[in-house]
Amino acid sequence: MDAATSARTDPAGEVVDICRDLLRIDTSNYGDSSGPGERKAAEHVAALLEEVGIATTIHESEPGRTNVLAHWGGGSTNGPTRDDTLLIHGHLDVVPAEASDWQVHPFSGEIQDGYLWGRGAVDMKDFDAMVLSVVRARQRAGRVPARPVLLAFTADEEAGGHRGAEPLVRDRRDDFAGVTEAIGEVGGFSTTVRGRRMYLIEAAEKGMAWMRLTARGTAGHGSMINRDNAVTRLATAVARIGAHEWPVQLTPTMQTLLAAVGELAGEEATPANAEALVAEFGPAARMIGATLRNVTNPTMLGAGYKVNVIPTEATAHVDGRFLPGYEDEFFATLAELCGEGVEIDFVSRQPPWETPYDGRLVAAMEQSLLAEDPDAVVAPYLMSAGTDAKHFGRLGIRTYGFAPLRLPDDLDFTGLFHGVDERVPVDALEFGARVLDRFLELA
């Protein structure tokens, strides 16, 4: 086999080039239909799959908001052949980036100092590239998995998936017939605890409630006494919400994770020392710490049109995230914090989910990671933000986050999500492709 053929059949052989090409396609999602959309990236992904003989279909919820589906493996590329299809999903959109804030242009796909830079390098065109590199290499080498696989590259995840995974699940339900398990983003990456690399597999997600609060009162002149001021009523509610101390509440996933950390730290994990154990993750504690409790953050305020006019209405937006199993308690407490005269409407409301950390797929993820990094520890964790897994979970699919990356100890990886100078180590991309290739043998 010559070098060129070997590179084409190496699961990591194309991953960097594919990721660079994807990063150079601007798919910024502004939360509405004002951005470039995902069409160009979706067509590029479809072409990469079609080139190696994998049939694709493209679906749009509206012009430019584009999803790609492809059935692969299991003896057929035309659809699932039995009731144990594996879904592998990744989104094509990215959050916007202001080029003047970056060291390199966010859509240049430059490689510097061993890192590939660009918006989407960790969220999540890196995983899209890993999947495409592995699938293309396997297809060329005739190493098609016996288990049926559904590949899904989606639109609009960064705005809740309402133009992407949600309409796919609603309108293309037949494509998901037979799907029992899934892997997607924000899991399988490494962090370091007490000198040991620990790979975190996402097995749960907090629920999401993007809320608009509205208070109404009596309009009037700003110079006069007004006991029915909408701004005052709203501001009081917002202050209570922002200052509220939510209690530590450990879900089964976090109990398992903290037990693993406690073993490394030499102490038993309890709710009382949960925050101290999470601190062992260093910079990653910023994200993991948010999974110990519900969170409510006021993010936007709006009222009035002139300084001497008391308005009739005032509004605020709050980003609420609630733990699996604590939804009723969360909304009851929120209503108390708002008080009388403040209405709650939802910009987006999505449920939490938690998948048991057991079974063949979990074993496949753990074994594929440990084969590449034998001295590591693997454990589940609860994701503080949201992914498309919320939508696929509504179909009863057991879902995990597994986008494997072996990362340097000093990299603040979680700070790169939606951050300036987003970048991923080149060797981590190649590591991830090798792990995914092995995973497909075991899954």
Side-chain angles (χ1 to χ4, degrees):
M1 182 182 297
D2 60 34
T5 302
S6 177
R8 283 158 53 88
T9 54
D10 174 5
E14 296 183 311
V15 65
V16 175
D17 288 339
I18 291 174
C19 194
R20 293 186 78 178
D21 289 341
L22 288 173
L23 294 177
R24 289 167 175 164
I25 302 173
D26 184 356
T27 53
S28 298
N29 187 344
Y30 295 89
D32 51 28
S33 297
S34 63
E38 299 85 4
R39 180 83 194 191
K40 185 176 179 181
E43 290 176 342
H44 181 69
V45 167
L48 289 173
L49 293 173
E50 296 275 357
E51 183 184 32
V52 294
I54 299 174
T56 65
T57 56
I58 285 180
H59 308 283
E60 291 190 334
S61 58
E62 59 184 61
R65 310 313 304 272
T66 314
N67 306 280
V68 180
L69 294 178
H71 292 281
W72 179 59
S76 172
T77 57
N78 298 318
T81 56
R82 61 176 188 260
D83 291 336
D84 66 344
T85 297
L86 173 67
L87 169 66
I88 302 177
H89 62 95
H91 63 85
L92 297 172
D93 61 320
V94 298
V95 296
E98 180 58 55
S100 62
D101 295 335
W102 288 53
Q103 296 182 52
V104 301
H105 195 283
F107 299 106
S108 64
E110 289 191 25
I111 295 177
Q112 290 187 12
D113 304 321
Y115 285 81
L116 175 56
W117 297 61
R119 177 57 87 215
V122 301
D123 187 15
M124 64 169 296
K125 290 178 177 177
D126 57 339
F127 182 64
D128 296 334
M130 290 181 218
V131 172
L132 289 165
S133 180
V134 170
V135 169
R136 282 165 56 86
R138 280 180 157 270
Q139 181 76 2
R140 286 187 177 118
R143 297 172 57 231
V144 178
R147 184 178 188 180
V149 174
L150 173 61
L151 304 172
F153 299 88
T154 61
D156 197 43
E157 189 276 343
E158 296 293 1
H162 303 301
R163 297 174 176 88
E166 184 178 284
L168 278 181
V169 167
R170 182 187 65 232
D171 303 332
R172 306 290 308 181
R173 210 173 183 90
D174 288 349
D175 282 297
F176 297 88
V179 175
T180 57
E181 297 174 312
I183 61 167
E185 64 172 326
V186 202
F189 61 91
S190 73
T191 185
T192 303
V193 176
R194 299 283 176 120
R196 292 282 298 277
R197 257 194 305 272
M198 178 178 285
Y199 291 89
L200 303 180
I201 294 175
E202 183 193 3
E205 277 182 17
K206 296 175 86 171
M208 183 178 75
W210 290 347
M211 297 168 284
R212 181 175 54 251
L213 311 185
T214 303
R216 295 179 177 84
T218 302
H221 200 288
S223 67
M224 300 181 187
I225 295 173
N226 189 317
R227 307 295 187 192
D228 189 32
N229 190 314
V231 176
T232 302
R233 182 173 294 116
L234 180 78
T236 302
V238 168
R240 283 195 297 260
I241 291 169
H244 183 67
E245 290 288 337
W246 295 91
V248 170
Q249 296 167 309
L250 301 181
T251 70
T253 296
M254 289 304 291
Q255 289 172 8
T256 303
L257 173 62
L258 294 181
V261 177
E263 186 173 341
L264 294 177
E267 58 182 297
E268 183 180 355
T270 67
N273 66 3
E275 291 182 304
L277 291 175
V278 165
E280 297 278 356
F281 288 103
R286 181 192 304 111
M287 178 177 73
I288 299 170
T291 65
L292 298 178
R293 51 169 55 88
N294 297 324
V295 172
T296 44
N297 278 311
T299 55
M300 298 168 62
L301 291 169
Y305 57 89
K306 196 171 186 291
V307 68
N308 64 343
V309 177
I310 299 171
T312 303
E313 183 176 288
T315 62
H317 285 74
V318 175
D319 186 341
R321 310 289 174 137
F322 48 95
L323 296 166
Y326 296 93
E327 183 170 0
D328 292 343
E329 178 181 325
F330 173 81
F331 286 108
T333 301
L334 188 68
E336 292 178 6
L337 294 171
C338 284
E340 294 183 5
V342 178
E343 299 176 1
I344 302 175
D345 297 305
F346 295 99
V347 177
S348 180
R349 179 174 174 176
Q350 298 183 25
W353 60 268
E354 190 161 26
T355 302
Y357 189 69
D358 57 26
R360 183 181 71 177
L361 201 70
V362 167
M365 290 186 284
E366 291 185 342
Q367 291 171 29
S368 61
L369 282 167
L370 294 175
E372 292 289 333
D373 195 351
D375 295 327
V377 177
V378 185
Y381 86 109
L382 168 64
M383 173 66 174
S384 61
T387 73
D388 279 338
K390 284 184 171 59
H391 300 293
F392 298 125
R394 291 171 183 164
L395 299 177
I397 299 170
R398 285 171 56 105
T399 304
Y400 300 92
F402 185 62
L405 295 169
R406 184 173 57 201
L407 301 169
D409 295 349
D410 60 352
L411 178 65
D412 182 6
F413 180 67
T414 60
L416 297 176
F417 284 83
H418 297 189
V420 173
D421 293 335
E422 185 178 349
R423 61 199 183 276
V424 64
V426 169
D427 59 3
L429 281 174
E430 295 167 341
F431 170 88
R434 294 193 302 271
V435 171
L436 279 178
D437 182 61
R438 192 182 302 271
F439 166 77
L440 285 174
E441 288 290 339
L442 301 171

